[in-house]
Amino acid sequence: MNHLSQLGAALEKAEAPRLRLIVAEMAGSFDVIALEENGDVAEAFPLPSALQERIFSIAETEQLSPTWMHASFSMVVTPKQLPDDLQEGQSTHHFGEKLEVQLLGRSGLKYLAIFEAVHRQNENALNLLKDLQLSALELLKITQWLRTERILENRHGDRLTEVITSLGNLPPSKKSRFC
């Protein structure tokens, strides 16, 4: 969280507007899922320029990837498409007066992880999914969300099947529902 502290300080120094971010932390990077504006969830992509400038500055100073904080998920998934339980169990952290970060908990991470594991074939996301030990009911809910909101394309079907099968926590009679 040190980089988020640096980001908060940089935003204060630049006298940037106060930001409230909904963020998922996965494999050492932060994906900004949405912004919160006046109590409403708003799109995070593209990130506000004041934020983006500070992210690049910290990346350069700390020799980080320029995508240590990004808005990849929100580039594909709009706030209207976010699942109802995404923010359950999140934790709120303040980094100075200009930055508030709402970190997704298990409930939100499961959606992001399955998206990343399927859409981007991200192995870290697949490992996170395994660590989350999702139940068959949770997997069903996630796959229904993916289909209902048309988050993935038809070409992702085989990869989705691979990911769900690799989780290995489904009873044999339930595997055919997803595959």
Side-chain angles (χ1 to χ4, degrees):
M1 297 258 205
N2 182 42
H3 301 304
L4 293 177
S5 296
Q6 290 175 298
L7 183 57
L11 289 167
E12 283 183 31
K13 186 177 179 181
E15 298 182 15
R18 189 173 194 285
L19 293 171
R20 296 181 72 177
L21 310 176
I22 299 169
V23 175
E25 182 180 10
M26 278 187 27
S29 72
F30 297 93
D31 195 341
V32 182
I33 306 305
L35 304 174
E36 193 173 300
E37 297 176 341
N38 302 321
D40 294 324
V41 176
E43 288 201 36
F45 184 84
L47 291 172
S49 59
L51 178 60
Q52 191 66 58
E53 288 171 21
R54 301 307 148 326
I55 291 168
F56 285 142
S57 174
I58 292 167
E60 188 175 87
T61 303
E62 298 294 319
Q63 298 181 341
L64 300 171
S65 164
T67 60
W68 71 270
M69 180 175 265
H70 54 90
S72 298
F73 187 72
S74 63
M75 191 167 71
V76 177
V77 180
T78 68
K80 291 179 184 177
Q81 294 174 298
L82 294 173
D84 294 337
D85 64 339
L86 183 89
Q87 292 181 282
E88 285 179 15
Q90 73 182 11
S91 58
T92 302
H93 306 271
H94 297 271
F95 300 96
E97 294 180 19
K98 298 290 184 173
L99 182 61
E100 180 180 312
V101 173
Q102 298 172 10
L103 281 175
L104 293 184
R106 181 184 186 281
S107 187
L109 286 175
K110 66 187 177 191
Y111 294 101
L112 183 69
I114 205 151
F115 172 81
E116 290 289 327
V118 174
H119 190 263
R120 294 191 174 88
Q121 298 190 14
N122 182 321
E123 288 303 312
N124 290 326
L126 183 57
N127 291 332
L128 175 60
L129 280 172
K130 290 176 182 178
D131 290 345
L132 292 174
Q133 298 180 356
L134 301 173
S135 69
L137 186 59
E138 286 176 302
L139 284 169
L140 178 61
K141 184 176 180 179
I142 296 166
T143 54
Q144 286 174 334
W145 169 73
L146 290 168
R147 194 177 98 228
T148 303
E149 296 299 331
R150 299 176 186 208
I151 304 298
L152 299 174
E153 299 170 12
N154 287 341
R155 65 185 172 92
H156 294 111
D158 289 343
R159 177 63 181 165
L160 178 60
T161 300
E162 288 173 20
V163 166
I164 290 171
T165 302
S166 74
L167 297 177
N169 59 346
L170 300 179
S173 63
K174 297 288 183 188
K175 285 187 180 179
S176 63
R177 279 185 90 169
F178 300 107
C179 302

